[in-house]
Coordinates of all heavy atoms in Angstrom, one line a residue:
M30 N 96.3 131.4 100.1 CA 95.4 130.9 99.1 C 95.5 129.4 98.9 O 94.6 128.7 98.9 CB 95.4 131.7 97.8 CG 94.2 131.2 96.9 SD 94.2 132.4 95.6 CE 92.8 131.8 94.7
A31 N 96.8 129.0 99.0 CA 97.2 127.5 98.8 C 96.8 126.8 99.9 O 96.4 125.6 100.0 CB 98.7 127.5 98.6
A32 N 96.7 127.4 101.1 CA 96.3 126.7 102.3 C 94.7 126.4 102.2 O 94.3 125.5 102.9 CB 96.6 127.5 103.6
N33 N 94.1 127.3 101.4 CA 92.6 126.9 101.4 C 92.3 125.7 100.6 O 91.2 125.1 100.7 CB 91.9 128.2 100.9 CG 91.8 129.3 101.9 OD1 92.1 129.2 103.0 ND2 91.7 130.6 101.4
N34 N 93.1 125.4 99.7 CA 93.0 124.2 98.8 C 93.4 122.9 99.5 O 93.2 121.8 99.0 CB 93.8 124.5 97.5 CG 93.2 125.6 96.7 OD1 92.1 125.9 96.8 ND2 93.9 126.2 95.9
A35 N 94.2 123.0 100.6 CA 94.6 121.8 101.3 C 93.4 121.1 102.0 O 92.6 121.8 102.5 CB 95.6 122.2 102.4
P36 N 93.5 119.8 101.9 CA 92.4 118.9 102.4 C 92.4 119.2 104.0 O 93.5 119.2 104.6 CB 92.6 117.5 102.1 CG 94.0 117.5 101.5 CD 94.4 118.8 101.2
S37 N 91.2 119.1 104.6 CA 91.1 119.2 106.1 C 91.5 117.9 106.6 O 91.6 116.8 105.9 CB 89.8 119.5 106.4 OG 88.9 118.5 106.1
G38 N 91.6 117.8 108.0 CA 91.8 116.5 108.6 C 90.8 115.5 108.5 O 91.2 114.3 108.1
F39 N 89.6 115.9 108.4 CA 88.5 114.9 108.1 C 88.6 114.5 106.6 O 88.5 113.1 106.4 CB 87.1 115.7 108.3 CG 86.0 114.7 108.0 CD1 85.7 113.6 108.8 CD2 85.1 115.0 106.9 CE1 84.8 112.8 108.6 CE2 84.2 114.0 106.6 CZ 83.8 113.0 107.3
E40 N 89.0 115.4 105.7 CA 88.9 114.9 104.3 C 90.3 113.9 104.3 O 90.2 113.0 103.3 CB 89.2 116.1 103.5 CG 87.9 116.9 103.2 CD 88.1 118.1 102.5 OE1 89.3 118.7 102.7 OE2 87.2 118.7 101.8
K41 N 91.3 114.1 104.9 CA 92.5 113.4 104.8 C 92.1 112.0 105.4 O 92.6 110.9 104.6 CB 93.7 114.0 105.5 CG 94.3 115.2 105.0 CD 95.5 115.6 105.8 CE 96.0 116.8 105.2 NZ 97.2 117.5 106.0
E42 N 91.4 111.9 106.5 CA 91.0 110.6 107.0 C 90.0 109.9 106.0 O 90.2 108.7 105.8 CB 90.2 110.8 108.3 CG 91.0 111.1 109.5 CD 90.2 111.3 110.8 OE1 89.3 110.4 110.9 OE2 90.6 112.1 111.6
Q43 N 89.2 110.5 105.2 CA 88.4 109.9 104.2 C 89.2 109.5 103.1 O 89.1 108.2 102.6 CB 87.3 110.8 103.7 CG 86.2 111.2 104.6 CD 85.2 112.1 104.0 OE1 85.5 113.1 103.4 NE2 83.9 111.7 104.1
I44 N 90.2 110.1 102.7 CA 91.1 109.7 101.6 C 92.0 108.5 101.9 O 91.9 107.6 101.3 CB 92.0 110.8 101.1 CG1 91.2 112.0 100.5 CG2 93.0 110.4 100.1 CD1 91.9 113.3 100.2
F45 N 92.5 108.6 103.3 CA 93.2 107.4 103.7 C 92.3 106.3 103.9 O 92.7 105.1 103.5 CB 93.9 107.8 105.1 CG 94.8 106.7 105.7 CD1 96.0 106.5 105.2 CD2 94.3 106.0 106.7 CE1 96.7 105.4 105.6 CE2 95.0 105.0 107.3 CZ 96.2 104.7 106.7
G46 N 91.1 106.4 104.3 CA 90.2 105.3 104.5 C 89.8 104.6 103.2 O 89.8 103.4 103.0
M47 N 89.6 105.5 102.1 CA 89.3 104.9 100.8 C 90.5 104.1 100.2 O 90.3 103.2 99.6 CB 88.8 106.1 99.8 CG 87.5 106.6 100.2 SD 87.0 108.2 99.4 CE 87.7 107.9 97.8
A48 N 91.6 104.7 100.5 CA 92.9 104.0 99.8 C 93.2 102.8 100.6 O 93.5 101.7 100.0 CB 94.1 105.0 100.1
E49 N 92.8 102.7 101.9 CA 92.9 101.4 102.7 C 91.9 100.4 102.3 O 92.4 99.2 102.0 CB 92.8 101.7 104.1 CG 93.0 100.7 105.1 CD 93.0 101.1 106.6 OE1 92.0 101.9 106.8 OE2 93.7 100.5 107.3
K50 N 90.8 100.9 101.9 CA 89.6 100.0 101.4 C 90.0 99.4 100.0 O 89.9 98.2 99.7 CB 88.3 100.6 101.3 CG 87.6 100.8 102.7 CD 87.4 99.5 103.3 CE 86.5 99.8 104.5 NZ 86.4 98.6 105.4
E51 N 90.6 100.4 99.2 CA 91.1 99.8 97.9 C 92.3 98.8 98.0 O 92.2 97.7 97.3 CB 91.6 101.0 97.1 CG 92.1 100.8 95.6 CD 91.0 100.3 94.7 OE1 89.8 100.7 95.0 OE2 91.4 99.7 93.7
L52 N 93.1 99.0 98.9 CA 94.3 98.0 99.1 C 93.8 96.8 99.7 O 94.1 95.7 99.1 CB 95.2 98.6 100.1 CG 96.6 97.7 100.3 CD1 97.3 97.5 99.1 CD2 97.4 98.3 101.5
E53 N 92.8 96.7 100.4 CA 92.1 95.6 101.0 C 91.5 94.8 99.8 O 91.5 93.4 99.8 CB 91.2 95.8 102.1 CG 91.8 96.3 103.4 CD 90.8 96.7 104.4 OE1 89.5 96.5 104.3 OE2 91.2 97.2 105.4
Y54 N 90.7 95.5 99.0 CA 90.0 94.9 97.9 C 91.0 94.3 96.9 O 90.8 93.1 96.5 CB 89.2 96.0 97.1 CG 88.7 95.5 95.8 CD1 87.7 94.6 95.7 CD2 89.4 96.0 94.7 CE1 87.3 94.3 94.4 CE2 89.0 95.5 93.5 CZ 88.0 94.7 93.2 OH 87.6 94.2 92.0
R55 N 92.1 94.9 96.7 CA 93.2 94.5 95.7 C 93.8 93.3 96.1 O 94.0 92.3 95.5 CB 94.2 95.5 95.3 CG 93.7 96.7 94.8 CD 93.7 96.5 93.3 NE 93.2 97.8 92.7 CZ 92.8 97.9 91.4 NH1 93.2 96.8 90.6 NH2 92.4 98.9 90.8
V56 N 94.2 93.2 97.6 CA 94.7 92.1 98.1 C 93.8 90.8 98.2 O 94.2 89.7 97.9 CB 95.2 92.4 99.6 CG1 95.6 91.1 100.4 CG2 96.4 93.4 99.5
D57 N 92.5 91.2 98.4 CA 91.5 90.0 98.5 C 91.4 89.6 97.1 O 91.2 88.3 96.9 CB 90.2 90.6 99.1 CG 89.2 89.5 99.3 OD1 89.5 88.4 99.8 OD2 88.0 89.7 98.8
L58 N 91.4 90.4 96.1 CA 91.1 90.0 94.8 C 92.4 89.1 94.2 O 92.1 88.1 93.7 CB 91.1 91.2 93.8 CG 91.0 90.9 92.3 CD1 89.5 90.2 92.1 CD2 91.0 92.2 91.4
F59 N 93.5 89.5 94.6 CA 94.8 88.8 94.3 C 94.7 87.4 95.0 O 94.9 86.4 94.3 CB 96.0 89.6 94.8 CG 97.3 88.8 94.5 CD1 97.8 88.7 93.1 CD2 97.9 88.1 95.4 CE1 99.1 88.0 92.9 CE2 99.1 87.4 95.2 CZ 99.6 87.4 93.9
N60 N 94.4 87.3 96.3 CA 94.3 86.1 97.0 C 93.2 85.1 96.3 O 93.5 83.9 96.3 CB 94.1 86.3 98.5 CG 95.3 86.9 99.1 OD1 96.4 86.7 98.8 ND2 94.9 87.6 100.2
K61 N 92.1 85.7 96.0 CA 91.1 84.7 95.4 C 91.5 84.2 94.1 O 91.3 83.1 93.8 CB 89.7 85.6 95.3 CG 88.9 85.9 96.6 CD 87.8 86.6 96.3 CE 87.1 86.9 97.7 NZ 85.8 87.7 97.5
M62 N 92.2 85.2 93.3 CA 92.6 84.7 91.9 C 93.7 83.6 92.1 O 93.6 82.6 91.4 CB 93.2 86.0 91.1 CG 93.7 85.5 89.9 SD 94.6 87.0 89.1 CE 95.9 87.1 90.2
T63 N 94.6 83.9 93.0 CA 95.7 82.9 93.1 C 95.1 81.5 93.7 O 95.5 80.5 93.0 CB 96.7 83.4 94.2 OG1 97.2 84.7 93.8 CG2 97.8 82.5 94.5
Q64 N 94.2 81.6 94.6 CA 93.6 80.4 95.2 C 92.9 79.6 94.0 O 93.0 78.4 93.8 CB 92.8 80.5 96.3 CG 92.4 79.4 97.0 CD 93.6 78.6 97.7 OE1 94.4 79.2 98.2 NE2 93.5 77.3 97.6
T65 N 91.9 80.4 93.3 CA 91.2 79.9 92.3 C 92.1 79.1 91.1 O 91.7 78.0 90.8 CB 90.3 80.8 91.6 OG1 89.4 81.3 92.6 CG2 89.4 80.3 90.5
C66 N 93.0 79.8 90.7 CA 93.8 79.3 89.5 C 94.7 78.3 90.0 O 94.8 77.3 89.3 CB 94.6 80.6 88.9 SG 93.6 81.7 88.0
F67 N 95.1 78.3 91.2 CA 96.0 77.3 91.7 C 95.3 76.0 91.9 O 95.6 74.9 91.4 CB 96.7 77.6 93.1 CG 97.5 76.4 93.6 CD1 98.8 76.5 93.3 CD2 97.1 75.6 94.5 CE1 99.6 75.5 93.8 CE2 97.9 74.6 95.1 CZ 99.2 74.6 94.8
N68 N 94.1 76.0 92.5 CA 93.1 74.9 92.6 C 92.7 74.3 91.2 O 92.7 73.2 91.1 CB 91.9 75.2 93.5 CG 92.2 75.5 94.8 OD1 93.3 75.0 95.3 ND2 91.3 76.1 95.6
K69 N 92.6 75.2 90.2 CA 92.1 74.7 88.9 C 93.2 74.0 88.2 O 93.0 73.1 87.4 CB 91.6 75.8 88.2 CG 91.2 75.5 86.9 CD 90.5 76.6 86.0 CE 90.1 76.2 84.7 NZ 89.7 77.0 83.7
C70 N 94.5 74.5 88.3 CA 95.5 74.3 87.4 C 96.6 73.4 87.9 O 97.2 72.6 87.2 CB 96.1 75.5 86.9 SG 95.1 76.7 85.9
V71 N 96.7 73.4 89.1 CA 97.9 72.5 89.7 C 97.5 71.2 90.3 O 96.5 71.3 91.2 CB 98.8 73.4 90.7 CG1 99.8 72.5 91.3 CG2 99.3 74.7 90.1
D72 N 98.0 70.2 90.0 CA 97.6 68.8 90.5 C 97.8 68.8 92.1 O 98.8 69.3 92.4 CB 98.4 67.7 89.8 CG 97.8 66.4 90.1 OD1 96.8 66.3 90.7 OD2 98.6 65.4 89.6
N73 N 97.0 68.0 92.8 CA 97.2 67.9 94.1 C 98.4 67.1 94.6 O 99.0 67.4 95.6 CB 96.0 67.3 94.7 CG 94.7 68.2 94.8 OD1 94.8 69.4 94.6 ND2 93.6 67.6 94.8
R74 N 98.9 66.3 93.6 CA 100.0 65.5 93.9 C 101.2 66.3 93.3 O 101.4 66.1 92.0 CB 99.9 64.1 93.6 CG 98.8 63.3 94.1 CD 98.5 62.1 93.4 NE 97.9 62.6 92.0 CZ 97.9 61.9 91.0 NH1 98.2 60.6 90.9 NH2 97.5 62.5 89.8
Y75 N 102.0 66.8 94.2 CA 103.3 67.4 93.6 C 104.2 66.4 93.1 O 104.8 65.7 93.9 CB 103.9 68.4 94.6 CG 102.9 69.5 95.1 CD1 102.5 69.3 96.5 CD2 102.4 70.4 94.2 CE1 101.6 70.4 96.9 CE2 101.5 71.3 94.7 CZ 101.1 71.3 96.2 OH 100.4 72.2 96.6
K76 N 104.5 66.5 91.9 CA 105.4 65.5 91.2 C 106.9 66.2 90.9 O 107.9 65.5 91.0 CB 104.9 65.0 89.9 CG 103.6 64.2 90.1 CD 103.1 63.8 88.6 CE 101.6 63.4 88.8 NZ 101.0 63.3 87.6
E77 N 106.7 67.5 90.7 CA 108.0 68.2 90.3 C 108.1 69.4 91.1 O 107.1 69.8 91.8 CB 107.9 68.6 88.9 CG 107.8 67.4 87.9 CD 107.6 67.8 86.6 OE1 107.6 69.1 86.2 OE2 107.1 67.0 85.7
S78 N 109.3 70.1 91.4 CA 109.4 71.1 92.3 C 109.0 72.4 91.4 O 108.8 73.4 92.1 CB 110.9 71.3 92.6 OG 111.7 71.4 91.5
E79 N 108.9 72.4 90.2 CA 108.4 73.5 89.3 C 107.1 73.1 88.5 O 106.9 72.0 88.2 CB 109.5 74.0 88.5 CG 110.7 74.5 89.2 CD 111.8 74.9 88.1 OE1 111.5 75.1 87.0 OE2 112.9 75.2 88.6
L80 N 106.4 74.1 88.1 CA 105.3 73.9 87.4 C 105.6 73.3 85.9 O 106.6 73.8 85.3 CB 104.5 75.2 87.1 CG 103.9 75.8 88.3 CD1 103.3 77.2 88.0 CD2 102.8 75.0 89.0
N81 N 104.9 72.4 85.5 CA 105.1 71.9 84.0 C 104.4 72.8 83.1 O 103.8 73.8 83.4 CB 104.6 70.5 84.1 CG 103.2 70.4 84.1 OD1 102.3 71.2 83.7 ND2 102.8 69.2 84.7
M82 N 104.7 72.5 81.7 CA 104.2 73.4 80.7 C 102.7 73.5 80.7 O 102.1 74.7 80.5 CB 104.7 73.0 79.3 CG 104.2 73.8 78.2 SD 105.4 74.9 77.6 CE 106.6 73.9 76.8
G83 N 102.0 72.4 80.9 CA 100.5 72.5 80.9 C 100.0 73.5 82.1 O 99.0 74.2 81.9
E84 N 100.6 73.3 83.4 CA 100.2 74.1 84.5 C 100.5 75.5 84.3 O 99.7 76.4 84.5 CB 100.8 73.5 85.7 CG 100.5 72.1 86.1 CD 101.3 71.4 87.2 OE1 102.6 71.9 87.2 OE2 100.9 70.7 87.9
N85 N 101.6 75.8 83.7 CA 101.9 77.2 83.4 C 101.0 77.8 82.4 O 100.6 78.9 82.6 CB 103.4 77.3 82.7 CG 104.4 77.6 83.8 OD1 104.2 78.3 84.6 ND2 105.6 76.9 83.4
S86 N 100.6 77.1 81.2 CA 99.7 77.6 80.2 C 98.2 77.7 81.0 O 97.6 78.8 80.7 CB 99.4 76.6 79.3 OG 100.7 76.5 78.5
C87 N 97.9 76.9 81.8 CA 96.6 76.9 82.4 C 96.6 78.1 83.4 O 95.5 78.9 83.4 CB 96.3 75.7 83.2 SG 94.7 75.6 84.2
I88 N 97.6 78.3 84.1 CA 97.7 79.4 85.1 C 97.6 80.7 84.3 O 96.9 81.7 84.6 CB 98.8 79.4 86.1 CG1 98.7 78.3 87.0 CG2 99.1 80.6 86.7 CD1 99.6 78.0 87.9
D89 N 98.3 80.8 83.3 CA 98.3 82.0 82.4 C 97.0 82.4 81.8 O 96.7 83.5 81.9 CB 99.5 81.9 81.3 CG 99.6 83.1 80.4 OD1 99.8 84.2 81.2 OD2 99.6 83.0 79.2
R90 N 96.3 81.5 81.4 CA 95.0 81.6 80.8 C 93.8 81.9 81.9 O 93.1 82.8 81.9 CB 94.4 80.4 80.1 CG 95.1 80.2 78.7 CD 94.3 79.1 77.9 NE 94.2 77.8 78.7 CZ 95.1 76.8 78.7 NH1 96.2 76.9 78.1 NH2 94.8 75.8 79.4
C91 N 94.1 81.3 83.0 CA 93.2 81.6 84.2 C 93.4 83.0 84.8 O 92.4 83.7 84.8 CB 93.5 80.5 85.3 SG 92.4 80.7 86.8
V92 N 94.5 83.5 84.8 CA 94.8 84.7 85.4 C 94.3 85.7 84.4 O 93.6 86.8 84.7 CB 96.4 84.9 85.7 CG1 96.7 86.4 86.0 CG2 96.7 84.2 87.0
S93 N 94.5 85.5 83.1 CA 94.1 86.5 82.1 C 92.7 86.6 82.0 O 92.1 87.7 82.0 CB 94.6 86.0 80.7 OG 94.1 86.8 79.7
K94 N 92.0 85.6 82.1 CA 90.4 85.5 82.1 C 89.9 86.2 83.4 O 89.0 87.0 83.4 CB 89.9 84.1 82.1 CG 90.0 83.5 80.6 CD 89.6 82.1 80.7 CE 89.8 81.4 79.2 NZ 89.3 80.1 79.2
Y95 N 90.6 86.0 84.5 CA 90.1 86.4 85.8 C 90.1 88.0 85.8 O 89.2 88.6 86.2 CB 91.0 86.0 86.9 CG 90.3 85.9 88.3 CD1 89.7 84.7 88.8 CD2 90.3 87.0 89.0 CE1 89.2 84.8 90.0 CE2 89.7 87.0 90.4 CZ 89.1 85.8 90.8 OH 88.7 85.8 92.0
W96 N 91.3 88.5 85.2 CA 91.4 90.0 85.2 C 90.6 90.5 84.3 O 89.9 91.6 84.4 CB 93.0 90.4 84.8 CG 93.8 90.2 86.0 CD1 95.0 89.5 86.0 CD2 93.7 91.0 87.3 NE1 95.5 89.8 87.3 CE2 94.8 90.7 88.0 CE3 92.9 92.0 87.7 CZ2 95.1 91.2 89.3 CZ3 93.0 92.5 89.0 CH2 94.1 92.2 89.7
H97 N 90.4 90.0 83.0 CA 89.4 90.3 82.1 C 87.9 90.4 82.6 O 87.3 91.5 82.4 CB 89.4 89.4 80.8 CG 88.5 89.8 79.7 ND1 88.9 90.9 78.9 CD2 87.4 89.4 79.3 CE1 87.9 91.1 78.1 NE2 86.9 90.2 78.2
V98 N 87.4 89.4 83.3 CA 86.1 89.4 83.8 C 86.1 90.5 84.9 O 85.0 91.2 85.0 CB 85.7 88.0 84.3 CG1 84.6 88.0 85.2 CG2 85.6 87.1 83.2
T99 N 87.1 90.5 85.8 CA 87.1 91.5 86.8 C 86.9 93.0 86.3 O 86.2 93.9 86.7 CB 88.3 91.5 87.7 OG1 88.4 90.2 88.3 CG2 88.4 92.6 88.7
N100 N 87.7 93.2 85.2 CA 87.6 94.7 84.5 C 86.2 94.8 83.9 O 85.7 95.9 84.0 CB 88.7 94.7 83.5 CG 90.1 94.9 84.1 OD1 90.2 95.4 85.1 ND2 91.0 94.5 83.3
L101 N 85.7 93.8 83.1 CA 84.4 93.9 82.6 C 83.3 94.2 83.8 O 82.5 95.2 83.6 CB 83.9 92.7 82.0 CG 84.6 92.3 80.6 CD1 84.2 91.1 80.0 CD2 84.1 93.5 79.6
I102 N 83.4 93.5 84.9 CA 82.4 93.8 85.9 C 82.6 95.1 86.4 O 81.7 95.8 86.7 CB 82.6 92.7 87.1 CG1 82.1 91.5 86.5 CG2 81.9 93.2 88.3 CD1 82.5 90.2 87.5
G103 N 83.8 95.6 86.6 CA 84.1 97.1 87.1 C 83.6 98.1 86.1 O 82.9 99.0 86.6
Q104 N 83.6 97.8 84.8 CA 83.1 98.7 83.8 C 81.6 98.6 83.9 O 80.9 99.8 83.9 CB 83.6 98.2 82.4 CG 85.1 98.6 82.1 CD 85.5 98.2 80.8 OE1 84.5 97.5 80.1 NE2 86.7 98.2 80.5
L105 N 81.0 97.5 84.1 CA 79.5 97.3 84.1 C 79.0 98.1 85.4 O 77.9 98.9 85.4 CB 79.1 95.9 84.1 CG 77.7 95.6 84.3 CD1 76.9 96.1 83.1 CD2 77.4 94.1 84.5
L106 N 79.7 97.9 86.5 CA 79.2 98.7 87.8 C 79.5 100.2 87.6 O 78.6 100.8 88.2 CB 80.0 98.0 89.0 CG 79.5 96.6 89.3 CD1 80.5 96.1 90.4 CD2 78.1 96.4 89.6
G107 N 80.5 100.6 86.9 CA 80.9 101.9 86.9 C 80.0 102.8 85.8 O 79.6 103.9 86.3
T108 N 79.5 102.0 85.0 CA 78.7 102.8 84.0 C 77.2 102.5 84.1 O 76.3 103.3 83.7 CB 79.1 102.5 82.5 OG1 79.0 101.0 82.2 CG2 80.5 102.9 82.2
G109 N 76.9 101.4 84.7 CA 75.4 101.0 84.8 C 74.9 100.2 83.4 O 73.9 100.0 83.4
K110 N 75.9 100.1 82.5 CA 75.3 99.4 81.2 C 76.5 98.5 80.7 O 77.6 98.6 81.1 CB 75.0 100.5 80.1 CG 76.2 101.4 79.9 CD 75.8 102.4 78.6 CE 76.9 103.3 78.5 NZ 76.6 104.3 77.6
P111 N 76.1 97.5 80.1 CA 77.0 96.4 79.7 C 78.0 96.9 78.6 O 77.7 97.8 77.8 CB 76.1 95.2 79.1 CG 74.9 95.8 78.8 CD 74.7 97.1 79.6
P112 N 79.3 96.5 78.7 CA 80.2 97.0 77.7 C 79.9 96.3 76.3 O 79.3 95.3 76.3 CB 81.5 96.4 78.3 CG 81.3 95.4 79.2 CD 79.9 95.6 79.8
M113 N 80.3 97.0 75.2 CA 80.0 96.5 74.0 C 81.1 95.6 73.6 O 82.2 95.5 73.9 CB 80.0 97.7 72.9 CG 78.8 98.5 73.1 SD 77.4 97.8 72.5 CE 76.4 99.2 72.4

């Protein structure tokens, strides 16, 4: 009976394909967020080897807002109605 509940080869391929697409989406999202926040917050002329306090704060806010908006969009697309 347990064998009947096991996914078939086709179902396994579908599950693997969906997981692969999800990973690609997450990597793409991370890369876009990194590039966007870096371009916005870090000066083109590197003066120091580490980020200064202003750049750190800017990146922190940028990443926070990026994730917040991404989650809101996901909720909106998932439910079909705007979040309250």
Side-chain angles (χ1 to χ4, degrees):
M30 187 162 180
N33 291 341
N34 292 334
S37 69
F39 179 71
E40 290 171 329
K41 286 180 183 178
E42 283 185 36
Q43 283 184 318
I44 292 168
F45 182 74
M47 288 170 38
E49 192 173 35
K50 289 291 182 192
E51 178 70 18
L52 180 61
E53 288 173 9
Y54 166 75
R55 298 272 178 183
V56 168
D57 187 49
L58 179 67
F59 178 79
N60 288 338
K61 286 179 182 177
M62 178 189 64
T63 302
Q64 191 65 40
T65 298
C66 293
F67 182 85
N68 289 340
K69 178 180 179 182
C70 297
V71 179
D72 192 12
N73 289 339
R74 295 165 295 162
Y75 302 115
K76 301 174 193 166
E77 302 168 9
S78 61
E79 296 183 14
L80 296 173
N81 62 38
M82 179 97 75
E84 292 168 334
N85 267 324
S86 296
C87 180
I88 288 173
D89 187 46
R90 284 190 312 272
C91 180
V92 168
S93 177
K94 288 177 183 179
Y95 205 97
W96 280 121
H97 182 72
V98 168
T99 300
N100 288 332
L101 287 175
I102 291 170
Q104 289 174 4
L105 179 64
L106 294 174
T108 62
K110 58 183 175 182
M113 295 281 191

